[in-house]
């Protein structure tokens, strides 16, 4: 299965969530790979704690592969290469976790038929050995997003590999509007898909939203807010809900709500269960990652209400 | 089929990739023949005994590249690489891309027609040390490998896997196994190395046997080594003995259905080479480990069955019991 993570704005926690989902899938015994298609700022190396590739590899990453400079993109075995001890101690019965990093100073590229062909070839190839292929796109409309939309319409890929899209947005008015624009807007994903070989409406069925950095009003008391602030928060939250429904981002299209987590705000990293025991991470966040990792596969999440 | 043969002072090198055919069921011999038709107008050879086996004709790839070297010598090689794809038991796909390295008589690059007339031969322009080349290709982790036989094999494999006859719905997934081998002339030799990424390297010399015979042997070893590794990995995931029976079954089911019956060591190698297979097997314990794994699967399944029956009986008794 192909899982594509995207967002309209930066700073949504898309990459860190996608990396954590990949980690959780692997923990559950599924062979998982993570493709860093955020060519402008490939940070997955840093999130997985792999020394020396904080901002992509010096040569042979995905960007160079798609350009045709190398025959195969570089792979990094996260369990073996991470500098975090808690990741290197790979538990028994876990799946493989392989990172395909981007390139240092990769930047955008123009999509032509050769690039598209290499993309399809790579995805078909990875489907042979991985249960889950997770692709992290850059924020906003990118050539990489268009490439994946075109690639997933390719009959060779489409008949073999189911593609699911996760659109990340923060729980704010601006972010909701931006995410709706990215999906439903005039030159949004749905429109582009319809023009590039996807069956009408099929992409919409494959898109779910991930709300990030969410503060639930019910938790607000615990955060020490005053009564007036809580009332205000409740009203704003309800307005946001109305707005989301209006723009097609209502509950039934939401796959996950990730709570605001201070640890992730300061340092984007994989949250292990040990981090929770050490009180470094919130159990709620890890729980949300874990549930999302489960729901990207389960049928119920993806059936229309 | 044109296969590389070692003549006086020659070295054959190759890379093998092994993986599952991207199809929901085992492919029949007829399907395998259609899938492996890589060269228009040339026949796919196949056999039904002792198990289904089909071999593609050999497409050629032109190369002009560096010759491998353990000591970092730079020698140019020009010629063609030959590849062959095989499907064993309708389930396991292997591709081997290989070339025989010989010294060039001319010492400079000739027109392509010259090389096309010598399929599977790469001529080295310059002074080449074949022992050094063999070590660079199939023994040393460093050194220059030069010739990208692995990429060629991967490409041929991708081509086969992309066949419209294959539905792509794999019952189980596994990484491709990767072997690099060098067959030399001279004194008997067997050197086996495993790299950190799992790639197997083998240097081999058996007086009286050319690369074609030995390729069958290496291919068979690669197939069984890969099968063993794959089963081991999947059983690791299944959490045999500790995970709930449904998780075990989910992993073990496809193994029983699609993998376990493919173990048939030395099924298609020359009888004179069987002792060599046995010797390798004795040292590395492939068959012993395989037997232990298979026994473990069967015992676990039997145990789970007993547990489920006992559970069902308890539920029935409970339902028929008091009240």
């Amino acid at each position: 299965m192909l899982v594509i993570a995207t967002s309209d704005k930066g700073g949504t926690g898309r990459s860190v969530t996608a990396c954590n989902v990949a980690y959780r899938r692997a923990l559950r015994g599924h062979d998982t790979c993570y493709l860093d298609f955020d060519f402008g700022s490939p940070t997955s190396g840093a999130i997985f704690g792999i020394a020396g590739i904080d901002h992509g590899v010096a040569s042979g990453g995905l960007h160079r592969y798609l350009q045709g400079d190398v025959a195969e993109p570089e792979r990094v075995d996260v369990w073996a290469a991470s500098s975090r001890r808690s990741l290197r101690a790979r538990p028994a019965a876990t799946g493989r976790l392989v990172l395909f990093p981007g390139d240092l100073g990769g930047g955008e590229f123009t999509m032509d038929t050769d690039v598209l062909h290499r993309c399809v070839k790579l995805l078909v190839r990875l489907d042979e050995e991985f249960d889950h292929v997770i692709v992290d796109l850059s924020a906003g409309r990118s050539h990489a997003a268009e490439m994946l939309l075109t690639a997933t319409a390719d009959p060779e890929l489409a008949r073999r590999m189911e593609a699911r899209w996760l659109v990340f947005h923060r729980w704010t008015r601006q972010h909701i509007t931006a995410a709706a624009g990215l999906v439903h807007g005039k030159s949004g994903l749905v429109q582009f898909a319809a023009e590039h070989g996807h069956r009408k409406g099929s992409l919409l069925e494959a898109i779910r939203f991930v709300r990030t950095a969410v503060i639930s009003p019910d938790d607000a008391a615990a955060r020490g807010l005053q009564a007036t602030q809580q009332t205000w928060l409740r009203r704003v939250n309800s307005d946001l809900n109305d707005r989301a429904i209006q723009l097609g981002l209502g509950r039934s299209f939401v796959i996950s709500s990730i709570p605001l987590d201070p640890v992730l705000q300061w340092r984007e990293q994989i949250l292990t269960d040990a981090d929770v025991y050490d009180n470094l991470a919130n159990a709620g966040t890890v729980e949300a990652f874990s549930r999302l990792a489960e729901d990207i596969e389960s049928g119920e999440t993806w059936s229309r209400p | 089929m044109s296969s590389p043969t070692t003549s006086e002072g020659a070295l054959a090198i190759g890379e093998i990739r092994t993986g599952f055919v991207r199809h929901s069921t085992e492919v029949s011999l007829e399907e395998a023949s259609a899938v492996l038709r890589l060269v228009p107008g040339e026949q796919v050879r196949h056999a039904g005994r002792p198990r289904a086996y089909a071999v593609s004709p050999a497409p050629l790839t032109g190369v002009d590249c560096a010759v491998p070297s353990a000591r970092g010598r730079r020698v140019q090689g020009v010629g063609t690489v030959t590849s062959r794809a095989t499907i064993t038991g309708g389930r396991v796909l292997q591709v081997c891309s290989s070339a025989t390295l010989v010294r060039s008589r001319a010492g400079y690059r000739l027109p392509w027609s010259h090389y096309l007339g010598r399929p599977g031969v790469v001529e080295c322009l310059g002074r080449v040390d074949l022992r050094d080349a063999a070590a660079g290709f199939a023994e040393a982790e460093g050194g220059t490998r030069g010739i990208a036989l692995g990429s060629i094999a991967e490409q041929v494999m991708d081509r086969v896997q992309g066949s419209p006859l294959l539905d792509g719905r794999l019952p189980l997934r596994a990484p491709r196994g990767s072997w690099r081998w060098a067959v030399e002339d001279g004194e008997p030799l067997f050197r086996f190395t495993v790299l950190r990424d799992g790639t197997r390297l083998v240097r081999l010399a058996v007086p009286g046997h050319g690369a074609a015979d030995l390729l069958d042997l290496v291919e068979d070893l690669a197939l069984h080594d890969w099968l063993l590794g794959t089963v081991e990995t999947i059983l690791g995931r299944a959490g045999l003995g500790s995970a709930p029976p449904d998780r075990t079954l989910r992993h073990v089911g496809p193994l029983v259905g699609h993998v376990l019956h493919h173990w048939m060591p030395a099924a298609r190698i020359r009888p004179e080479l069987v002792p060599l297979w046995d010797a390798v097997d004795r040292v590395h314990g492939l068959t012993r480990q395989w037997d232990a794994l298979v026994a473990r699967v069967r015992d676990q399944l039997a145990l789970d069955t007993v547990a489920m029956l006992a559970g069902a009986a308890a539920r029935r008794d409970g339902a028929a019991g008091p009240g």
Side-chain angles (χ1 to χ4, degrees):
Chain A
M1 180 191 295
L2 177 62
V3 178
I4 302 156
T6 185
S7 62
D8 188 63
K9 287 173 170 286
T12 55
R14 182 197 64 249
S15 300
V16 72
T17 308
C19 285
N20 272 286
V21 165
Y23 166 70
R24 296 276 150 192
R25 292 280 344 160
L27 274 188
R28 281 163 191 275
H30 301 278
D31 286 336
T32 307
C33 67
Y34 184 97
L35 274 55
D36 197 338
F37 271 34
D38 187 352
F39 297 122
S41 91
T43 52
S44 54
I47 299 174
F48 284 117
I50 293 158
I53 60 164
D54 289 4
H55 299 284
V57 287
S59 66
L62 282 172
H63 191 262
R64 298 278 307 275
Y65 164 78
L66 289 171
Q67 303 280 31
D69 296 339
V70 291
E72 293 223 23
E74 205 165 300
R75 313 173 158 220
V76 179
D77 176 354
V78 174
W79 297 122
S82 178
S83 52
R84 290 189 58 195
R85 281 231 306 274
S86 49
L87 284 185
R88 275 216 313 275
R90 177 184 179 179
T94 52
R96 293 194 302 145
L97 182 56
V98 176
L99 165 67
F100 288 79
D103 289 275
L104 209 57
E108 272 292 342
F109 57 91
T110 40
M111 188 183 72
D112 56 30
T113 47
D114 288 339
V115 172
L116 181 67
H117 177 71
R118 283 181 210 116
C119 178
V120 170
K121 210 178 96 181
L122 176 68
L123 293 174
V124 168
R125 167 82 176 77
L126 295 179
D127 183 45
E128 184 183 319
E129 55 174 309
F130 292 99
D131 301 310
H132 300 280
V133 179
I134 296 179
V135 178
D136 183 34
L137 293 173
S138 58
R141 272 283 304 275
S142 60
H143 289 298
E146 292 178 3
M147 174 177 69
L148 279 168
L149 277 173
T150 318
T152 46
D154 185 291
E156 193 190 348
L157 192 65
R159 77 191 173 101
R160 301 179 151 149
M161 216 175 170
E162 192 181 348
R164 287 172 172 179
W165 292 71
L166 300 180
V167 177
F168 288 72
H169 65 86
R170 290 178 77 121
W171 192 227
T172 68
R173 200 174 168 80
Q174 285 81 357
H175 272 267
I176 291 170
T177 313
L182 175 67
V183 174
H184 302 287
K186 221 194 276 168
S187 54
L189 299 178
V190 170
Q191 177 77 25
F192 187 90
E195 288 163 5
H196 289 80
H198 283 267
R199 194 167 41 78
K200 205 170 155 56
S202 62
L203 183 68
L204 211 48
E205 283 169 25
I207 293 180
R208 288 294 180 274
F209 295 90
V210 180
R211 298 175 179 174
T212 58
V214 177
I215 302 175
S216 155
D218 300 325
D219 293 346
R223 288 175 193 270
L225 292 189
Q226 292 167 16
T228 46
Q229 289 173 317
Q230 285 183 40
T231 316
W232 178 81
L233 195 62
R234 240 171 250 289
R235 206 177 56 237
V236 169
N237 194 52
S238 130
D239 284 352
L240 288 179
N241 266 324
D242 292 345
R243 177 107 185 121
I245 291 167
Q246 213 178 19
L247 293 175
L249 277 64
R251 275 252 155 255
S252 50
F253 298 91
V254 174
I255 188 172
S256 174
S257 287
I258 315 275
L260 182 72
D261 192 311
V263 174
L264 292 184
Q265 297 293 315
W266 290 318
R267 185 168 154 204
E268 301 196 304
Q269 63 169 43
I270 297 295
L271 294 183
T272 63
D273 293 345
D275 292 332
V276 179
Y277 300 138
D278 296 344
N279 282 322
L280 269 176
N282 292 320
T285 312
V286 169
E287 165 72 27
F289 287 157
S290 205
R291 200 163 340 117
L292 176 56
E294 196 162 318
D295 288 348
I296 55 168
E297 190 178 42
S298 68
E300 293 148 43
T301 317
W302 297 91
S303 58
R304 269 277 161 263
Chain B
M1 198 191 100
S2 46
S3 51
T5 47
T6 32
S7 58
E8 193 62 38
L11 163 72
I13 56 176
E15 292 211 30
I16 301 175
R17 294 289 184 275
T18 308
F20 289 123
V21 176
R22 286 176 57 91
H23 199 60
S24 51
T25 60
E26 283 178 5
V27 295
S28 65
L29 264 184
E30 289 73 19
E31 285 173 310
S33 302
V35 166
L36 293 179
R37 201 157 291 139
L38 297 176
V39 183
E42 285 193 36
Q43 286 297 312
V44 172
R45 295 181 303 128
H46 53 79
R49 298 274 180 267
R51 64 170 157 191
Y53 176 69
V55 192
S56 77
L60 294 180
T61 311
V63 291
D64 181 342
C65 58
V67 170
S69 165
R71 281 180 274 147
R73 296 163 64 106
R74 296 198 58 83
V75 177
Q76 187 189 359
V78 187
T80 55
V81 170
T82 170
S83 303
R84 76 174 199 187
T86 61
I87 294 180
T88 306
R91 175 50 75 196
V92 183
L93 171 66
Q94 287 187 291
V95 172
C96 179
S97 295
S98 60
T100 302
L101 301 183
V102 297
R103 294 186 182 93
S104 166
R105 291 219 181 98
Y108 51 87
R109 191 175 143 162
L110 297 165
W112 274 112
S113 54
H114 169 81
Y115 300 107
L116 284 173
R118 292 162 182 75
V121 173
V122 169
E123 297 188 2
C124 305
L125 313 179
R127 287 164 55 83
V128 63
D129 175 352
L130 292 178
R131 296 245 173 274
D132 171 52
F137 188 77
E139 195 169 348
E141 187 152 2
T144 40
R145 209 184 327 157
I147 189 164
L149 293 175
S151 296
I152 296 172
E154 291 274 351
Q155 273 170 27
V156 173
M157 190 132 168
D158 289 344
R159 215 176 119 197
V160 174
Q161 297 284 45
S163 164
L165 293 167
L166 303 178
D167 63 21
R169 288 197 296 275
L170 279 159
L172 66 181
R173 295 179 156 76
R176 291 177 182 174
S178 165
W179 278 57
R180 291 214 301 269
W181 55 266
V183 168
E184 300 163 53
D185 285 344
E187 293 300 296
L189 170 77
F190 185 87
R191 267 189 215 147
F192 184 72
T193 320
V194 179
L195 298 186
R196 253 186 9 175
D197 68 356
T199 301
R200 271 68 164 142
L201 308 182
V202 57
R203 274 180 80 177
L204 193 62
V206 181
H209 286 282
D213 297 347
L214 294 174
L215 170 58
D216 284 340
L217 172 80
V218 176
E219 213 174 49
D220 201 54
L221 278 171
L223 178 105
H224 289 90
D225 171 66
W226 179 80
L227 275 179
L228 180 60
T230 302
V231 170
E232 239 180 331
T233 310
I234 294 175
L235 285 187
R237 305 288 154 72
L240 241 54
S242 53
D246 59 328
R247 175 170 174 173
T248 307
L249 259 186
R250 206 172 54 238
H251 286 92
V252 167
L255 275 188
V256 175
H258 299 278
V259 185
L260 294 189
H261 57 286
H262 290 301
W263 189 264
M264 204 181 277
R268 49 161 209 272
I269 63 175
R270 299 183 72 86
E272 313 92 85
L273 291 173
V274 172
L276 186 55
W277 211 113
D278 291 341
V280 175
D281 194 16
R282 251 197 318 282
V283 174
H284 295 279
L286 297 172
T287 303
R288 264 178 294 154
Q289 201 176 350
W290 177 266
D291 289 345
L293 286 176
V294 172
R296 197 170 163 215
V297 167
R298 297 207 171 125
D299 289 348
Q300 188 63 45
L301 285 180
L303 212 57
D304 286 348
T305 312
V306 171
M308 280 183 208
L309 284 176
R315 274 197 300 280
R316 198 188 51 220
D317 294 347

